[in-house]
Amino acid sequence: MKRIVLSLVIGALVCGCSADNKYTVSGKFADCKCDSVWLLGEDSKVIDAVASTDGSFMFSGVADIPAMCRVVTNKFTNANSCVVLLEPGDITMSMEPDSSYVMKGTKANDSYSEFIALTRKINMLLTESGGMGNDQIMALIDEYEQMLKDGLVNNLDNYFGLICLEALYSPSDPESVRTFLDRFSKPVKKASRWQALSDRVDNLMSLVEGKPYIDFTQNDADGNPVTASKVMADPKNRYVLIDFWASWCGPCMGELPYLKEAYDTYSSKGFEIIGVSLDQDRDSWLKAIEEENMNWIHVSDLKYWSNEVARLYNIDSIPSNFLVDCRTGIIVGKGLRGTALSRKLAELIK
């Protein structure tokens, strides 16, 4: 079950002192009574503020590093709010026909406003078209994905390209993501958002066949810590599958017959499984283990997608797994679904 997330969190803003990177952000919220208008950056930190009684504003400064920010009339609500991709240039806010606000005037903001318009259009059509056929839905999705692809290729010099790359990002193809990351302009590479994605991709590229697994410790159902390296060091174990799953995940439960077949066949020959659950509910987790006779090692911190081991392994979709050679600690298989696991074990365990 893939977790699809288009992350549009606020990026960090770090202002430099270059006279060449000046920006202005101006506009007016319609029919607005307020005391001030704020320009907010990461974690709603105040970058700038101006006194205003009618929602009008003008901010100016230097943006050596691009960032995703917000202009608001209230720091604690989204009653009047507009996203701005802060970068050098004159940026102005305007109201769309649906009464939403967008920023325009620079390449990144113009592209982002077009992207938001298409996103709203798709969401509206999907909401209003209860009987829409699959072909129509796929056509909308294709249009959306094509816009992201074009946006990435055409905006490698600004922050919007980074947003597109994040939306297109796939943990199954970190090499392609790395290629695009390396093509961004120097200012974009200084953004904390670029660095975070870069670090994540580098970690993913280290978790491939032929690379060492990452050790971890997490508690089992009784609260006892289970350390992967200790399981690997058990003399009776030759290969260990680190399997990410959850009781609420339909595809995960669909994989169980294949996992059980492999375990029943090879557990006596040196095969073990460490099941890392992304469940939140302890009872649901334990019920699935018992009812499905999953007679291998199980751990979880019940933190859902924030499971610490899942984060360590950059898990964005489940089921997902890594097969490790206990003797060397090297990953010898990844994403072994269906009969692929038994076939791989038959190849390895003679």
Side-chain angles (χ1 to χ4, degrees):
M1 180 175 293
K2 184 173 178 60
R3 181 179 64 154
I4 302 175
V5 178
L6 176 57
S7 175
L8 295 179
V9 296
I10 298 173
L13 175 70
V14 182
C15 288
C17 56
S18 171
D20 297 329
N21 291 328
K22 291 182 178 180
Y23 68 82
T24 62
V25 181
S26 61
K28 181 180 180 180
F29 291 101
D31 302 322
C32 176
K33 294 182 179 180
C34 59
D35 297 320
S36 301
V37 179
W38 287 269
L39 177 61
L40 304 181
E42 185 180 13
D43 299 328
S44 295
K45 293 179 180 177
V46 176
I47 298 170
D48 202 351
V50 295
S52 176
T53 58
D54 62 355
S56 60
F57 59 89
M58 166 71 83
F59 300 109
S60 62
V62 175
D64 285 331
I65 301 176
M68 176 177 271
C69 303
R70 286 186 302 140
V71 177
V72 301
T73 58
N74 188 311
K75 291 187 293 183
F76 308 105
T77 71
N78 289 320
N80 290 300
S81 178
C82 184
V83 171
V84 56
L85 304 185
L86 204 61
E87 63 179 5
D90 296 321
I91 305 167
T92 57
M93 186 180 76
S94 60
M95 180 185 284
E96 297 294 278
D98 63 356
S99 297
S100 62
Y101 292 98
V102 296
M103 294 288 184
K104 297 181 179 181
T106 64
K107 185 178 179 182
N109 285 283
D110 289 348
S111 299
Y112 183 68
S113 65
E114 292 176 5
F115 168 71
I116 292 299
L118 178 59
T119 302
R120 286 177 177 148
K121 174 186 175 182
I122 292 174
N123 288 337
M124 181 182 68
L125 290 174
L126 289 175
T127 300
E128 296 178 351
S129 63
M132 181 180 288
N134 289 333
D135 290 344
Q136 291 173 293
I137 293 175
M138 291 308 299
L140 286 172
I141 293 175
D142 287 344
E143 182 181 358
Y144 173 79
E145 290 186 347
Q146 189 59 51
M147 184 174 193
L148 287 173
K149 292 175 182 177
D150 293 341
L152 171 58
V153 172
N154 296 325
N155 291 276
L156 291 170
D157 59 343
N158 66 67
Y159 202 85
F160 179 66
L162 186 56
I163 293 173
C164 292
L165 182 58
E166 280 190 340
L168 293 167
Y169 159 82
S170 171
S172 64
D173 188 15
E175 291 84 1
S176 294
V177 181
R178 178 78 265 165
T179 297
F180 278 105
L181 279 169
D182 291 342
R183 292 175 59 189
F184 276 98
S185 64
K186 289 183 179 180
V188 176
K189 288 181 179 179
K190 294 178 182 178
S192 61
R193 190 168 182 162
W194 183 94
Q195 189 60 59
L197 183 56
S198 178
D199 290 345
R200 190 174 190 182
V201 167
D202 287 346
N203 193 21
L204 273 174
M205 291 177 69
S206 71
L207 289 168
V208 296
E209 290 187 32
K211 298 289 186 178
Y213 82 101
I214 301 175
D215 196 15
F216 61 86
T217 299
Q218 196 160 94
N219 287 351
D220 63 16
D222 297 320
N224 300 314
V226 174
T227 300
S229 57
K230 291 184 178 180
V231 177
M232 305 285 177
D234 189 325
K236 72 175 185 292
N237 293 333
R238 296 175 61 188
Y239 296 93
V240 171
L241 186 75
I242 303 170
D243 182 58
F244 295 90
W245 73 289
S247 66
W248 47 261
C249 168
C252 299
M253 304 308 287
E255 283 293 306
L256 282 181
Y258 302 104
L259 282 176
K260 288 193 285 188
E261 179 183 1
Y263 194 72
D264 291 343
T265 303
Y266 294 102
S267 61
S268 62
K269 301 176 182 179
F271 175 56
E272 185 57 85
I273 301 175
I274 303 176
V276 182
S277 171
L278 274 64
D279 275 286
Q280 297 182 92
D281 182 77
R282 174 183 168 83
D283 291 338
S284 297
W285 172 42
L286 299 184
K287 181 180 178 182
I289 294 172
E290 180 179 1
E291 290 186 349
E292 298 295 338
N293 296 312
M294 302 164 67
N295 300 317
W296 47 83
I297 300 168
H298 292 278
V299 300
S300 182
D301 57 13
L302 301 176
K303 292 182 179 179
Y304 196 44
W305 288 104
S306 295
N307 180 290
E308 295 298 333
V309 181
R311 289 169 63 91
L312 187 65
Y313 276 75
N314 285 300
I315 298 301
D316 277 342
S317 64
I318 53 176
S320 183
N321 59 50
F322 300 82
L323 183 63
V324 181
D325 183 330
C326 297
R327 181 178 59 86
T328 63
I330 298 299
I331 298 171
V332 294
K334 180 179 178 181
L336 298 170
R337 302 280 296 272
T339 60
L341 175 59
S342 288
R343 292 199 306 271
K344 186 68 174 180
L345 289 171
E347 172 190 324
L348 294 170
I349 301 177
K350 306 296 185 180

